[in-house]
Amino acid sequence: MRHVYGWLLLLPGFTLIVAFTHYPTVTTFINSFFSNQTVIRPKKFVGLSNYEYMLNDPVFLQTFKNTIYFALTTVPLSIAFALVMAVFVQEKIKGRSVVRLAYFTPTILPMVAVANIWLFFYAPEIGLINQIFQYFNLPQQNFLGDTNMVLEATIVMTVWKEAGFFMIFYLAALQSIPKELNEAAKIEGASAWTSFWKITFPLLMPTTFFVMVNALINSFKMIDHLFILTKGGPDNASNLLLYYIYDVAFSFFDYAYAATLTIVLLALLIVISLIQFGLVERKIHYK
């Protein structure tokens, strides 16, 4: 009977996982091998045609490149700024609570609100940044209209929002490190940098791994800002893979091709997860 009770307790969660995770994944994988179904044309099995079309799709290649660049840039920058901010606000400085609040405030704002704030910053001529440029007689910039700047502009905005959230985890981890370790290193003549690099940072590795996993997930699922800022433009310079999937499915109603793109995104996330938990986690020592 205990086994029955155990399975009954697992049943609600198991049902939700199957209904909203496993079943949609399997269905999406199957649909990627069929043509798009319309009112007058039923879907038919096309094999790998959707994947062949994808490999020759310049928009997909551009969005895939943008997504990888976006992830490889936002993740380390968010982690680095979060760590620096946590170390700074841990020290006994005047107005420490206010500084902590200022760092954390962007994280509680919805991404749509953040995008609107930065839309005001980036707007040509009337934007805050361009107003500052004008004051110092610097040339005006169209941050969201220049293909060479737009992706970097969205990266800056993303790091601004994400770093404060990750700072909280680092701050909690720093406060849990015994002060005696750094004091002993200081007595032995170690500099502040040596103490941090040889003692503090290794003890923060479990937190760093946790933050890295969350930052990577956020970098692949964050598309809210594109609806407000760029719609993936100009010329797909800021388009990301998840936004492209949304566009294909709900703007062009090509659900078969959207399923194909979704499978590629899932495969990419699986590969990244295997690297993280297979290689990176082995370097983490919790004790």
Side-chain angles (χ1 to χ4, degrees), residues 25 220 262-278:
T25 302
F220 282 97
T262 303
I263 293 301
V264 171
L265 179 59
L266 288 175
L268 180 61
L269 291 174
I270 290 173
V271 171
I272 293 174
S273 299
L274 290 175
I275 293 173
Q276 285 181 326
F277 291 97

Side-chain angles (χ1 to χ4, degrees), residues 46-107:
V46 294
L48 298 175
S49 296
N50 289 326
Y51 291 93
E52 292 176 359
Y53 176 78
M54 180 189 64
L55 294 176
N56 295 305
D57 181 7
V59 179
F60 164 73
L61 297 176
Q62 179 66 38
T63 56
F64 186 84
K65 176 183 175 182
N66 291 345
T67 302
I68 297 298
Y69 178 75
F70 184 82
L72 293 179
T73 307
T74 56
V75 171
L77 286 177
S78 298
I79 292 174
F81 278 105
L83 181 56
V84 171
M85 290 190 298
V87 172
F88 178 70
V89 297
Q90 186 196 24
E91 301 296 331
K92 294 181 179 180
I93 58 175
K94 292 184 178 179
R96 180 170 60 176
S97 299
V98 177
V99 176
R100 289 180 179 179
L101 179 62
Y103 286 160
F104 185 72
T105 297
T107 67

